[in-house]
Amino acid sequence: MKHLVLDKKRILEFQNNVDPYLMIDHAEKVIPGKLSEGYKILDKNDWYFKAHWKNDPNLPGMLQIEALLQMSSLAILTLPGNKKKFLYLTSASKLKFIKKITPEYKKFYLKTKVKSFKRGLAFLTGEGFLNNYLACSAEFCLVLPDDLKKFKMEK
């Protein structure tokens, strides 16, 4: 199956997050409707390392999840007709934070899969890795409001 490779410029063609809140830098493999894999470059000068915490910098857990969400969104937003649409998080479960993410690792690898996507609801899984070691994982649901409107029931 053919896949897409997206640098930061191309990522911005599909999704709406921008710096400093863009938490992904490169998508090495995107199969629309199936999966997205790539990474975030870790730099000691990133705003979150400066703020969390001064003498013990690490990537906050919720920003780890945000990176997984942004990577996974590419699998939905690269489907025909979805470019630049908004996706919203509706739930997250089975969050696991296993390894501290610090700038010394240089790259935070992200692997996400679409479990199902129907009628505007996407159920996904994601894992974050540092040097091939699992650092975090989660399951989550994203909603594509434009698709939900198509299926709205009248009273």
Side-chain angles (χ1 to χ4, degrees):
M1 181 177 278
K2 189 173 180 172
H3 68 271
L4 301 170
V5 175
L6 307 174
D7 62 11
K8 198 170 196 173
K9 183 178 177 184
R10 296 240 16 243
I11 288 169
L12 292 171
E13 291 176 18
F14 289 96
Q15 62 113 326
N16 293 295
N17 289 296
V18 296
D19 285 327
Y21 207 63
L22 183 63
M23 297 302 297
I24 55 177
D25 291 309
H26 190 82
E28 297 174 324
K29 184 177 183 181
V30 178
I31 300 175
K34 301 286 183 195
L35 62 85
S36 299
E37 298 177 359
Y39 58 85
K40 169 72 180 155
I41 296 170
L42 302 173
D43 184 317
K44 67 179 180 177
N45 294 314
D46 286 328
W47 65 271
Y48 40 83
F49 287 133
K50 292 178 186 177
H52 196 259
W53 289 284
K54 183 178 178 179
N55 295 317
D56 189 22
N58 66 88
L59 182 62
M62 289 302 105
L63 292 182
Q64 295 173 40
I65 300 304
E66 180 64 26
L68 291 172
L69 295 171
Q70 289 181 21
M71 185 59 69
S72 69
S73 75
L74 293 174
I76 304 302
L77 297 174
T78 55
L79 288 167
N82 286 349
K83 186 184 264 191
K84 286 296 224 183
K85 288 187 176 180
F86 288 99
L87 276 167
Y88 297 109
L89 175 66
T90 61
S91 68
S93 63
K94 299 183 181 177
L95 280 66
K96 293 182 183 175
F97 303 101
I98 301 158
K99 192 161 183 59
K100 187 175 170 182
I101 298 176
T102 62
E104 290 78 25
Y105 286 102
K106 306 293 184 211
K107 287 185 181 179
F108 177 37
Y109 288 91
L110 307 158
K111 294 183 179 187
T112 64
K113 291 182 183 175
V114 178
K115 291 168 61 176
S116 69
F117 178 57
K118 296 177 186 170
R119 296 185 175 199
L121 291 174
F123 294 93
L124 309 111
T125 61
E127 296 178 320
F129 295 88
L130 299 168
N131 296 338
N132 295 318
Y133 291 98
L134 185 65
C136 66
S137 63
E139 294 183 5
F140 38 91
C141 178
L142 298 175
V143 63
L144 189 66
D146 284 359
D147 275 15
L148 283 181
K149 292 175 189 174
K150 297 177 193 174
F151 301 102
K152 187 174 181 179
M153 303 290 279
E154 296 296 323
K155 290 183 180 182

